[in-house]
Amino acid sequence: MTLDLEAKKLLLRKIPHGLFICGVSENGEVNGFTASWVTQGSFDPPLVVMAVRAEGSSHGIIERTLKFSLNILRADQKELAAVFFKPQKALGGRFEAAPFKLGELGMPLLEDAIGGVECAVLGQVSKGDHTVFVAEVMSAHLNKDGESLNLSSTGWSYGG
Ligand SMILES: Cc1cc2nc3c(=O)[nH]c(=O)nc-3n(C[C@H](O)[C@H](O)[C@H](O)COP(=O)(O)O)c2cc1C
């Protein structure tokens, strides 16, 4: 079977995505990155599914600590999303751009965003260049409701 790469790219890019800041923490140090490959996975228990680039620095932290946060950005926070995917001088440096507090699981929660959830990893599938983590939502923190940022509004793409 031959895969039509152009058709594959065009069709997969039709899958709608939000844009989130995934926060991690290990040994008192925080880190965060922009994530779009995120969806829900179960009502009860409430599960989320996120694909994380195997070569990223947050990947190993999630594997070791089995925890992460997902921060839901407002529609006007595209610039902040850009901070969290660009290279940084040192691990955690991106959070200089964004005030945060630590939640009950010790994960970074942005203070200026719609809100965030803390998640505990239940399982992972490591195939290809991303690992798919399945995690239970353990805490939810709403700052202020509003319209959320989505990938299509930014003109950026990831994957396809
Ligand atoms: C629009 C966009 C969406 C992204 N979505 C994801 C994603 O879902 N998962 C992922 O692992 N990386 C994603 N990235 C890439 C990470 O944000 C980027 O590799 C980051 O530098 C990783 O940081 P870290 O190495 O500190 O963990 C995305 C990048 C962009 C520009």
Side-chain angles (χ1 to χ4, degrees):
M1 196 165 12
T2 318
L3 178 61
D4 180 335
L5 293 175
E6 280 307 308
K8 184 263 303 173
K9 183 158 126 186
L10 187 146
L11 293 169
L12 292 186
R13 286 189 177 181
K14 301 284 184 201
I15 299 174
H17 291 290
L19 216 44
F20 313 93
I21 303 299
C22 175
V24 298
S25 179
E26 185 176 44
N27 301 327
E29 283 210 277
V30 294
N31 192 47
F33 66 97
T34 301
S36 57
W37 289 359
V38 175
T39 190
Q40 295 187 79
S42 159
F43 282 120
D44 186 17
L47 299 183
V48 291
V49 178
M50 175 174 65
V52 181
R53 200 167 61 90
E55 288 183 356
S57 42
S58 303
H59 182 274
I61 300 178
I62 296 173
E63 275 196 322
R64 290 188 293 274
T65 63
L66 300 177
K67 289 185 287 191
F68 60 84
S69 60
L70 278 175
N71 292 277
I72 318 302
L73 297 177
R74 284 193 314 271
D76 64 0
Q77 290 183 301
K78 179 180 174 183
E79 278 179 28
L80 187 59
V83 169
F84 277 82
F85 65 66
K86 289 186 181 150
Q88 53 188 340
K89 284 191 210 112
L91 200 69
R94 293 168 180 146
F95 274 105
E96 285 166 18
F100 68 95
K101 63 184 179 189
L102 297 178
E104 293 97 314
L105 290 187
M107 297 296 104
L109 294 164
L110 294 177
E111 291 179 351
D112 186 24
I114 292 177
V117 295
E118 290 180 293
C119 307
V121 173
L122 299 181
Q124 71 179 71
V125 177
S126 301
K127 303 276 182 196
D129 49 21
H130 281 60
T131 294
V132 176
F133 290 101
V134 177
E136 181 170 353
V137 176
M138 306 301 287
S139 78
H141 304 262
L142 176 65
N143 297 325
K144 189 168 184 283
D145 196 8
E147 197 190 328
S148 60
L149 184 62
N150 59 65
L151 184 59
S152 63
S153 74
T154 63
W156 303 331
S157 58
Y158 189 72

